[in-house]
Amino acid sequence: MKKFEEYLASLQADFHDSRTKEAMFYSLLAGGKRVRPRLLFELLKGYGIAEEAGYPCGAAIEMIHTYSLIHDDLPAMDDDTLRRGRKTCHIAFDEATAILAGDALLTQAFQIVLRCSCSAEAKVKLVELLSVHAGIDGMILGQTYDIEAENAVHQTIEQLEQIHRHKTGKLLILPLLCAAVISNHDEDIELLRLIGEKIGLSFQIQDDIMDVTVAQSQLGKSTSDEKNHKATYVTLLGIEEAQMLCDRYYDEAMMLMNDLHAQTDGLIAFLKELKTRRN
């Protein structure tokens, strides 16, 4: 992923210097697992397309993801102080600058994705996918459900899944669908939507488990769910049952990949990496 990190860093040259730009790239270039771009790149390679062809789209998705983390960490949301092993954006800068940095990342994502070397029709589809999956009925809906669930007296596993099918899942479905569009494999879109949904749920359950089993210093982020009185898969199911559900979703996603019109060894290998991650 070194070449992709260099591509992300190169985007700084496109914008005038400002405190907001500094905060924007402070968060974007802070590292992280780059799960969403890697899903995109592995599937593109499975379709026989070089991962470099997906760099603008991968950057756009990572910009949207980073904006969501900046805003999620704000005092009005989760009020967190650590992200990707460093101070959260509003702590490193200030709250107003963090809000603007998130706004800038979201806005510029739509400009960057248009740099993909695909047809104009495909670019329109990519813009639509970014908007739908990040928007009011996508990730934002999940964040809305999450806020509404704080301090709820009773919360069911079905309600929790509804939160994370949107808050986490939509941005993990997105790169898979974008890969299908860039490579002209629309026939796989519905199957990829199901695969991405299962990846999203397993990924979130894994996060909930690690929040109580892995040190904050190793995670590289704050663990604020308990402080914010949020239900998690661990609080509702216990660690053992939550782990079983996590493994089941990962395994189901990998089985479904056998039906894709792509060579899936790389994508399956990456999912196996995710299944054993510790941060």
Side-chain angles (χ1 to χ4, degrees):
M1 294 291 284
K2 183 183 176 189
K3 288 177 67 177
F4 178 64
E5 294 295 336
E6 291 171 352
Y7 178 83
L8 285 178
S10 75
L11 298 177
Q12 295 176 89
D14 294 352
F15 312 115
H16 294 298
D17 290 338
S18 68
R19 183 171 171 81
T20 298
K21 173 186 168 180
E22 185 182 348
M24 173 183 171
F25 282 95
Y26 167 86
S27 294
L28 182 64
L29 301 180
K33 295 176 286 295
R34 306 298 192 206
V35 171
R36 291 147 195 86
R38 281 200 65 187
L39 287 171
L40 173 71
F41 302 154
E42 292 298 342
L43 186 52
L44 281 177
K45 287 187 287 186
Y47 284 132
I49 294 176
E51 70 173 55
E52 288 82 0
Y55 280 3
C57 186
I61 294 171
E62 194 66 10
M63 291 168 85
I64 290 174
H65 175 54
T66 301
Y67 121 76
S68 76
L69 299 180
I70 292 173
H71 283 192
D72 207 35
D73 289 336
L74 289 168
M77 300 283 278
D78 285 349
D79 195 16
D80 281 325
T81 59
L82 184 69
R83 174 70 67 177
R84 292 175 170 172
R86 62 202 307 195
K87 293 177 182 178
T88 50
C89 192
H90 70 278
I91 297 294
F93 293 85
D94 56 73
E95 192 172 342
T97 301
I99 292 170
L100 290 175
D103 293 345
L105 285 163
L106 174 61
T107 305
Q108 295 307 139
F110 291 94
Q111 179 196 51
I112 300 300
V113 78
L114 292 174
R115 299 180 184 179
C116 281
S117 56
C118 52
S119 69
E121 183 182 4
K123 289 179 182 180
V124 170
K125 287 182 181 179
L126 291 175
V127 168
E128 181 181 24
L129 285 172
L130 262 63
S131 179
V132 167
H133 287 77
I136 186 63
D137 286 337
M139 177 191 67
I140 288 174
L141 183 59
Q143 290 181 315
T144 302
Y145 289 153
D146 195 29
I147 292 169
E148 291 173 349
E150 286 185 18
N151 298 307
V153 178
H154 300 290
Q155 189 171 5
T156 66
I157 194 67
E158 290 77 18
Q159 290 170 320
L160 188 62
E161 286 206 346
Q162 181 76 335
I163 292 171
H164 294 301
R165 285 180 191 278
H166 292 82
K167 185 178 178 181
T168 303
K170 290 296 184 180
L171 288 193
L172 288 167
I173 294 170
L174 176 60
L176 299 175
L177 302 190
C178 288
V181 168
I182 292 170
S183 59
N184 296 309
H185 279 280
D186 288 6
E187 72 275 10
D188 281 342
I189 281 181
E190 290 310 312
L191 180 57
L192 287 168
R193 201 183 304 278
L194 180 58
I195 291 169
E197 189 173 90
K198 290 181 181 294
I199 293 172
L201 290 170
S202 56
F203 191 86
Q204 182 60 51
I205 297 168
Q206 200 170 11
D207 265 3
D208 287 354
I209 293 169
M210 289 190 297
D211 280 351
V212 297
T213 60
V214 179
Q216 180 174 295
S217 58
Q218 185 177 343
L219 287 176
K221 64 177 182 177
S222 303
T223 53
S224 59
D225 285 345
E226 184 176 357
K227 176 188 73 176
N228 293 328
H229 308 291
K230 290 184 179 182
T232 69
Y233 286 94
V234 172
T235 60
L236 293 182
L237 298 176
I239 291 177
E240 185 176 346
E241 191 173 342
Q243 186 64 62
M244 290 173 60
L245 185 59
C246 173
D247 292 343
R248 193 188 90 197
Y249 281 133
Y250 268 131
D251 292 343
E252 288 176 354
M254 285 188 268
M255 286 293 294
L256 288 169
M257 287 180 193
N258 293 325
D259 295 325
L260 292 173
H261 297 83
Q263 204 282 335
T264 57
D265 288 354
L267 192 54
I268 289 173
F270 178 50
L271 282 195
K272 288 179 178 178
E273 283 182 38
L274 288 182
K275 191 175 178 181
T276 57
R277 69 189 174 97
R278 298 299 292 163
N279 60 33

